[in-house]
Amino acid sequence: MRIVVLTGGIGGARFLTGVRAYARQAGAEVTAVVNVGDDVIMHGLRICPDLDSVMYTLGGGADPERGWGRAGETWTVKEELAAYGAEPTWFGLGDRDVATHLVRTTMLDAGYPLSAVTDALCARWRPGVRLLPATDDRLETHAVVSDPGGGSDGAGTQRAIHFQEWWVRHRGALPTHRFVFVGAEAAKPAAGVLDALAGADAVLLAPSNPVVSIAPILAVPGLREALVGGRAPVIGVSPIIGGAPVRGMADRCLAVLGVPCTAAGVAELYGARSAGGILDAWLVDSADAGVAVPGLTVRAAPLWMTDEAATTEMVRAALALGRPGEERG
Ligand code: GDP
Ligand code: CA
């Protein structure tokens, strides 16, 4: 069996620990298609937060408390940069993490595509699943916000800031009009992505942020079409439990789109494949049992990713939804 997972960073990485455990039991192969919309160049280094969260988590090198970056991290480089007054100062750049960004940036500068660079980094981390960036091209999520300084007529002006600045520096608390995926129109799926989707027996949407983790993946031309046109069932796992995003700020992102922060709201945002969307089935938490979404098979199961065993059961429940008839098994 071949499983493809569309994923963001921290939430997706946790989910993938369960997918990997399931796959080991079932003898399945896993490919993760990872968001690159958070990627950013800082201090001359190419940083890929979601790819790194997944790689470090699956490779056993992630900081378990912080959820991002390396375990046993030190911050000398960050302090030294601050001593120079080098901007930005609000971004967490750990010493161990810097080594990853140096290797990545050097390889990219030498002409290797991001997918090949990711492979090379994974030779060290051995994540146990195949990691593919959604695209090798530059695709950046920006937030269009009201510029507090602009507009002498009182109408205000708008400006776009990188998602990292919106999220990390401003905690998503600026008046925000929309998100744009800069570069998406010209982006192509990374080498291997379309083949993975074509060969998939099941596609899972991790319980990642739908607005800024999954949407930028789907914004790569051809990727959404491959998903919708493919033979594999597409099963989503809700990132929202009982009206709350569990961890993180998905509620702030959903609010920008005017989508209710509920399990049904996110399912309707993705849409049923039968009605022009992408999903065949939707797994919600037991707290949301009874939620109905037109066109979708909906089932409830515990969705708190407390440990690998609980997460593995979640994955099992999601995959069962792709095999109608067995779904009660
Ligand atoms: P990011 O790129 O680091 O923001 O991570 P993701 O986009 O992959 O995942 C973030 C999302 O994971 C959050 O918005 C939460 O809604 C969701 N999430 C985090 N922990 C859990 C959990 O235990 N269960 C479920 N169902 N969702 C979770
Ligand atoms: Ca992310």
Side-chain angles (χ1 to χ4, degrees):
M1 182 188 196
R2 282 174 288 191
I3 304 167
V4 173
V5 184
L6 306 194
T7 177
I10 298 170
R14 272 183 183 242
F15 183 69
L16 280 164
T17 61
V19 180
R20 180 178 60 183
Y22 173 88
R24 281 180 179 154
Q25 293 164 13
E29 256 174 54
V30 182
T31 301
V33 177
V34 185
N35 173 43
V36 297
D38 296 11
D39 292 14
V40 65
I41 294 172
M42 282 186 190
H43 309 292
L45 301 178
R46 169 72 177 268
I47 301 169
C48 300
D50 288 0
L51 278 166
D52 287 348
S53 287
V54 171
M55 184 174 77
Y56 293 155
T57 299
L58 294 179
D63 184 288
E65 269 96 68
R66 226 176 23 247
W68 57 269
R70 294 276 283 106
E73 191 57 284
T74 54
W75 305 92
T76 306
V77 170
K78 187 174 195 261
E79 285 157 24
E80 289 292 312
L81 286 165
Y84 284 111
E87 294 286 344
T89 52
W90 43 263
F91 194 77
L93 198 57
D95 300 334
R96 289 174 186 268
D97 205 17
V98 163
T100 304
H101 309 322
L102 283 168
V103 174
R104 174 185 290 126
T105 307
T106 303
M107 286 189 74
L108 288 170
D109 287 349
Y112 290 96
L114 182 60
S115 47
V117 175
T118 302
D119 252 2
L121 294 172
C122 286
R124 172 184 176 192
W125 290 104
R126 303 184 179 282
V129 312
R130 186 165 176 227
L131 298 192
L132 294 175
T135 177
D136 282 327
D137 301 314
R138 193 153 170 197
L139 184 161
E140 277 181 13
T141 303
H142 287 212
V144 178
V145 300
S146 292
D147 190 343
S152 53
D153 56 357
T157 55
Q158 298 183 357
R159 75 192 166 103
I161 59 174
H162 192 286
F163 173 70
Q164 292 295 345
E165 186 175 354
W166 185 83
W167 183 261
V168 179
R169 184 181 192 186
H170 298 289
R171 312 300 302 162
L174 297 175
T176 307
H177 304 278
R178 62 187 184 281
F179 296 102
V180 287
F181 306 126
V182 178
E185 306 75 41
K188 293 174 295 299
V193 169
L194 294 183
D195 285 345
L197 286 170
D201 298 299
V203 178
L204 299 175
L205 302 196
S208 289
N209 188 313
V211 182
V212 294
S213 289
I214 302 295
I217 300 175
L218 297 170
V220 176
L223 211 150
R224 186 190 171 96
E225 291 74 7
L227 202 67
V228 173
R231 62 181 173 83
V234 180
I235 305 142
V237 178
S238 178
I240 306 298
I241 297 180
V246 193
R247 297 180 189 85
M249 307 187 290
D251 49 338
R252 297 209 165 149
C253 298
L254 288 165
V256 170
L257 271 62
V259 171
C261 182
T262 61
V266 175
E268 277 160 24
L269 177 66
Y270 287 138
R273 175 144 54 164
S274 57
I278 56 169
L279 287 178
D280 298 303
W282 185 237
L283 189 66
V284 301
D285 185 72
S286 312
D288 296 306
V291 162
V293 185
L296 292 185
T297 306
V298 182
R299 189 187 173 197
L303 294 193
W304 288 88
M305 298 189 283
T306 43
D307 56 24
E308 188 174 297
T311 310
T312 308
E313 285 317 303
M314 220 170 122
V315 171
R316 200 183 304 284
L319 288 169
L321 273 175
R323 299 185 298 266
E326 272 177 57
E327 80 192 54
R328 259 159 256 284

